[in-house]
Amino acid sequence: MEQSLSRRLIVMGVTLSAAAGLWTGLWVVRSEVRGSLGEVQGIAAREAALAAQDASMRWSEPLRLTGWAEQTAGLLKAECRVYGSDGRVIAASGGTGSSADPKAVQWNMKKDAGDEVNRALAGETATSVQQSPGGSLVVRAAAPVRINDQIRGAVWFETPLAQVVAPFGAWWAWVIGIATSVGVGLAWSAAIARDLEGGLRQLGEAVADWARGRYHALPLGRKDELGRFAENLREMASALQRSTAELAVSVDKLYLEKERLEITMRHLVSGVMALDGRGRVEWINPVMAELIGEERVIGRRFWGIAALHPMYAMIDRAVREGEGDRYDGVFGPAKREVEAHVAAIPKGTGSNRGAAREGGKGSEDGGVRAGEGSVSGGAVVIVHDVTERRRLDQVRKEFVTNVSHELKTPVTAIRGLTETLVEEELEPEERKRFLELIDREARRLEQLVRDLLDLSRLESHLTALHRAPVDLAEMAKEVIQDFAYVAEKAGSGLFLSREGDCRAEVDPGRVRQVLSNLVDNAIKYTPAGGRVDIRVSGAAREVTVEVADTGVGIPPEDRDRVFERFYRVDKARSRATGGTGLGLAIVKHVVQLHGGRLGVESEVGKGSRFFVHFPRKWPPDAPA
C-alpha cells in the first residue's frame, strides 16, 4: 500500500531530526575528548617541570644525566631527552648522548621535538598532542632547566596515549554512524523530492496545455493527496472545457452579430458616428466620413472635427446630460442639406465602461469627461443627407407650378374666346377666327397632356421598347420630309448627310419621336434664312445622330438644364411657337432607355448642335 504524502514527509522529518541528534552527540564526544586531552597535557607539563627540577640538581654531573634519563624514561614509560642551552642533546634514553651524531641530533630536535624544545629554552613549559608515524597518539612535553634563575637547558619527553586512543576510535564510529544516517536521510528525501517534483511537473505541464486550449487527461495514477489534487484538477478541466466550448459558441454568435451590424451600418445611406464617454470617436461609417470630409477621425474628440461644429452643443449635452437632440440644416464642407439626430448612450454599456473608469472625476482634458458628473456613456450621431430629396421636392413643386401654368394658359384662352362668342354678336369672319384660336389652344392643351402622360410613363419605366433593326439615316430622311413644310414656312433649310452603316436595334416609334423633337426645336429656334443639318454616322458599336442649327444658341448657364421638364431658354418664343417645354425631357429619357448618350454644344448667336449616340446592338456589349 502506497504511503500518504504526509507520512512520507513525517518520515523525512524524523530522519532529519535523527541526523541532527547524531551531529549533537558528535559535538559532545568531541568536547569530552578535547577535555581529556587537555587534562593529559596538564599532567605531562607538571611531570616535565618536576623532571626539569630534578635534572637541575644533577646538571653538574653530565655522566649521571644519561642514567637519570634512562631512569626517568622507565618511570614515565616514555622517551626522555636532555638538551643543552645550545639545543644539542646532552643525554637521552636509549643511549643517545653527547657522543651522538650531531646531524642526527639536530634532525631529532627539529623534526621530532623542535617546537617544544625551542619554547622550553625560551622559558616556557610546552606540551602538544601529535600523531606518531605509527598512527598512535602521543603527548610531548618540554620544560626549561633553571640553575640560579638561568636557563641552562631543557628536559623533553614523549609519552604514548593509549588511554585516549579508545575514545577517539569511538568518535570515528560516531562519524561513520552519522554519515550513514545522513546518507539514508538524504537518499530518502531525494526520492520523495523526485517523486513530488515529477508529479508537480506533470501537473504544471497539463495546466499549461489547458491554458493553451489543449485539454487532455492527467497521467498521474496516484492515491495520495497529490493524486486527489490531480483528480480535482481533471474535473475542473472538464468543466472548464465545457465552459470554453459554450463561451466559444457565444463569442462566435457575438462576432457574427457584430459583423452583421457593422455591414448594415457600413451600407446605410445615412452617416453614423459613435462617440465614447469622453467625446472621442469610436466608430464611423463611410457615408459619415464622406459627409464630414475626413477619414482619420477614430480616437479624436468631436470638437476637433470642423464639420460637427453646428452640433457641438448637442453632442456635449448628450454626453454630459444624456439628452438627445436633432439638427436640420447645412452640414459638412460640401454644404449638404441634412437632418441629424444625436442620441445618448446609457452609461456603463459596452466600451464606455472602460472610458468611465479611465475618466473619472479627476479627468481634465479640456472637454467632455466621463465620471460621476456624466449621465451618459457616449453618444451616437446619425446624419441623413436630404439634399437630393429636397431638390426633388423643389423640382416637384416647380413641376406642379409649371403644369398648372401651362394648363392655365390654354384653358384661360379657350374660356375667354368662348365667353366672347357667347356674349357678343360677331361677324362671321371674326367668329371663324375665334374658333380657329380655340382649336389651336385645344390642340396645344391636348399635346401638353399627351406629353405629360408620355413623360410620366418614361420616368416610371413603364414603357416597353420594341426593338428592331432600323436604318437611322432613312428614318432621319422621313422626319425631314415630315417637317419640310414647317421648315419652308419658317424660311429654314433642312439638309441630311450620312456616313457608314447607320443601322441599329432601336424602338422605331420612340427614336422617330427623338428625331422629330430635335428637328422641331432646331426649326423653331433658327431665324429665317438659317439651316438645320442632320448628320447620321455609324461606328463599330454605336450610331450617332447629330442635329445642328444656325439659330440663337444657348447660354452656358442654361446648357445643363435644357433637358429638364418645362425649362425654356426663351419662354416667350417657346409659347409663341407652340412648344410645351417637355420635348427635350422626353428625348433624354428615350435615349437613356435605349442605353445611349446625349449632349449639346452651343454658342450664343451661332447655333446649337445636339448629338445622340445609340448602341448598335442590344445589349450594348453584344458583338456587332
Side-chain angles (χ1 to χ4, degrees):
M1 181 177 178
E2 190 171 349
Q3 291 184 344
S4 66
L5 179 62
S6 59
R7 182 173 300 177
R8 281 181 287 171
L9 292 176
I10 291 172
V11 171
M12 183 174 64
V14 170
T15 303
L16 293 177
S17 299
L22 291 174
W23 278 107
T24 303
L26 175 62
W27 181 82
V28 172
V29 169
R30 291 191 64 186
S31 299
E32 291 180 354
V33 169
R34 288 179 180 177
S36 299
L37 291 177
E39 185 176 352
V40 170
Q41 285 181 285
I43 295 173
R46 289 194 294 272
E47 289 181 349
L50 291 175
Q53 184 177 2
D54 188 28
S56 64
M57 291 186 294
R58 296 175 175 79
W59 198 261
S60 59
E61 302 176 12
L63 295 178
R64 294 181 59 187
L65 285 176
T66 299
W68 178 82
E70 290 286 355
Q71 184 180 2
T72 301
L75 291 174
L76 297 178
K77 296 180 180 180
E79 181 183 356
C80 182
R81 299 176 192 169
V82 180
Y83 290 84
S85 59
D86 57 358
R88 297 181 63 187
V89 178
I90 299 175
S93 61
T96 304
S98 60
S99 62
D101 185 3
K103 293 183 179 180
V105 172
Q106 290 299 320
W107 184 91
N108 286 333
M109 179 191 72
K110 291 180 180 179
K111 299 295 183 180
D112 293 344
D115 183 62
E116 291 84 3
V117 173
N118 287 335
R119 290 165 59 190
L121 293 176
E124 178 184 352
T125 300
T127 61
S128 68
V129 177
Q130 303 289 336
Q131 187 173 7
S132 67
S136 61
L137 294 177
V138 295
V139 62
R140 293 176 180 175
V145 177
R146 289 185 173 85
I147 300 175
N148 297 326
D149 293 329
Q150 291 184 357
I151 298 175
R152 303 296 296 276
V155 174
W156 173 92
F157 65 86
E158 179 184 270
T159 303
L161 296 179
Q163 66 272 25
V164 184
V165 174
F168 268 86
W171 179 74
W172 284 109
W174 277 99
V175 171
I176 294 173
I178 290 171
T180 302
S181 300
V182 171
V184 171
L186 288 176
W188 184 258
S189 300
I192 294 175
R194 283 194 300 270
D195 185 34
L196 291 176
E197 182 182 6
L200 292 175
R201 184 185 297 110
Q202 289 178 331
L203 287 177
E205 292 173 353
V207 172
D209 287 341
W210 297 345
R212 300 185 188 97
R214 298 195 296 268
Y215 296 96
H216 55 79
L218 290 171
L220 294 178
R222 311 169 65 103
K223 297 182 180 179
D224 56 6
E225 287 83 351
L226 194 59
R228 287 191 291 273
F229 179 65
E231 184 63 28
N232 293 335
L233 282 180
R234 186 182 296 111
E235 294 177 359
M236 183 187 72
S238 299
L240 181 61
Q241 187 174 9
R242 290 191 298 271
S243 300
T244 303
E246 294 173 358
L247 181 61
V249 173
S250 301
V251 170
D252 289 341
K253 290 182 180 178
L254 288 176
Y255 272 114
L256 181 60
E257 293 298 325
K258 180 175 179 291
E259 289 177 359
R260 288 176 179 172
L261 179 60
E262 287 191 355
I263 291 173
T264 302
M265 300 295 284
R266 289 186 182 279
H267 291 82
L268 284 177
V269 296
S270 302
V272 181
M273 174 186 290
L275 305 168
D276 66 11
R278 301 181 68 186
R280 294 176 299 191
V281 177
E282 283 192 327
W283 191 86
I284 184 173
N285 70 346
V287 175
M288 190 66 164
E290 183 179 356
L291 287 173
I292 66 176
E294 299 183 48
E295 293 183 356
R296 299 182 178 179
V297 297
I298 301 299
R300 290 172 54 186
R301 314 237 185 234
F302 71 83
W303 58 85
I305 303 173
L308 297 176
H309 181 269
M311 293 184 282
Y312 281 175
M314 300 178 190
I315 298 174
D316 186 73
R317 284 197 303 273
V319 175
R320 288 181 182 272
E321 303 172 11
E323 296 181 1
D325 206 340
R326 61 172 296 167
Y327 168 77
D328 191 345
V330 178
F331 181 79
K335 305 299 181 183
R336 308 290 292 181
E337 292 285 336
V338 302
E339 292 178 357
H341 300 268
V342 180
I345 300 175
K347 188 175 181 180
T349 60
S351 60
N352 292 295
R353 297 189 183 116
R357 290 193 298 268
E358 183 183 348
K361 294 188 294 183
S363 176
E364 297 293 340
D365 51 17
V368 179
R369 56 186 181 273
E372 295 182 359
S374 176
V375 175
S376 169
V380 175
V381 181
I382 303 174
V383 179
H384 307 284
D385 186 353
V386 296
T387 305
E388 186 64 18
R389 189 184 74 190
R390 291 184 178 177
R391 187 189 71 81
L392 293 176
D393 288 342
Q394 183 63 29
V395 171
R396 189 179 298 107
K397 291 177 182 178
E398 292 177 357
F399 176 73
V400 172
T401 301
N402 290 331
V403 169
S404 300
H405 181 73
E406 295 295 334
L407 292 175
K408 181 180 179 181
T409 300
V411 169
T412 302
I414 292 172
R415 182 179 178 183
L417 292 170
T418 304
E419 289 178 353
T420 303
L421 290 174
V422 172
E423 295 176 359
E424 298 181 10
E425 292 290 337
L426 300 175
E427 296 293 331
E429 294 181 0
E430 189 73 13
R431 186 180 184 86
K432 180 181 179 180
R433 189 175 67 84
F434 273 41
L435 290 175
E436 289 175 351
L437 290 175
I438 291 173
D439 180 67
R440 188 185 68 179
E441 293 298 332
R443 290 178 182 275
R444 179 184 174 191
L445 181 60
E446 180 184 10
Q447 183 64 39
L448 177 61
V449 173
R450 186 184 299 114
D451 286 347
L452 283 172
L453 293 175
D454 198 14
L455 182 61
S456 176
R457 285 193 295 269
L458 289 171
E459 289 181 340
S460 303
H461 300 283
L462 298 177
T463 300
L465 298 180
H466 303 284
R467 295 177 183 271
V470 177
D471 189 323
L472 297 185
E474 292 298 323
M475 180 177 286
K477 183 177 178 180
E478 296 173 1
V479 172
I480 288 176
Q481 293 173 354
D482 294 340
F483 281 90
Y485 174 75
V486 178
E488 182 180 356
K489 188 177 179 179
S492 301
L494 292 176
F495 302 90
L496 174 65
S497 64
R498 65 178 296 166
E499 180 181 344
D501 184 3
C502 300
R503 289 174 298 175
E505 293 182 2
V506 296
D507 186 321
R510 287 297 181 184
V511 172
R512 179 181 289 275
Q513 186 180 18
V514 169
L515 297 180
S516 298
N517 281 333
L518 292 177
V519 172
D520 185 35
N521 269 3
I523 294 173
K524 289 177 180 178
Y525 289 94
T526 300
R531 61 181 289 162
V532 177
D533 291 281
I534 298 95
R535 180 175 179 270
V536 184
S537 60
R541 305 186 69 84
E542 62 183 11
V543 177
T544 303
V545 178
E546 299 180 16
V547 179
D549 61 59
T550 57
V552 296
I554 304 172
E557 63 272 12
D558 294 324
R559 289 174 195 164
D560 294 335
R561 302 193 62 187
V562 294
F563 295 103
E564 294 180 7
R565 294 169 295 185
F566 297 113
Y567 189 81
R568 298 182 178 91
V569 177
D570 188 345
K571 297 179 175 59
R573 184 182 183 91
S574 179
R575 291 196 179 93
T577 57
T580 62
L582 299 175
L584 290 180
I586 293 174
V587 168
K588 180 183 74 171
H589 285 286
V590 170
V591 173
Q592 288 176 347
L593 280 176
H594 279 82
R597 299 174 291 117
L598 77 163
V600 60
E601 295 176 355
S602 182
E603 187 175 352
V604 177
K606 292 186 178 182
S608 303
R609 184 177 73 91
F610 287 84
F611 48 89
V612 180
H613 303 277
F614 290 103
R616 185 179 292 278
K617 294 289 185 180
W618 188 258
D621 56 355

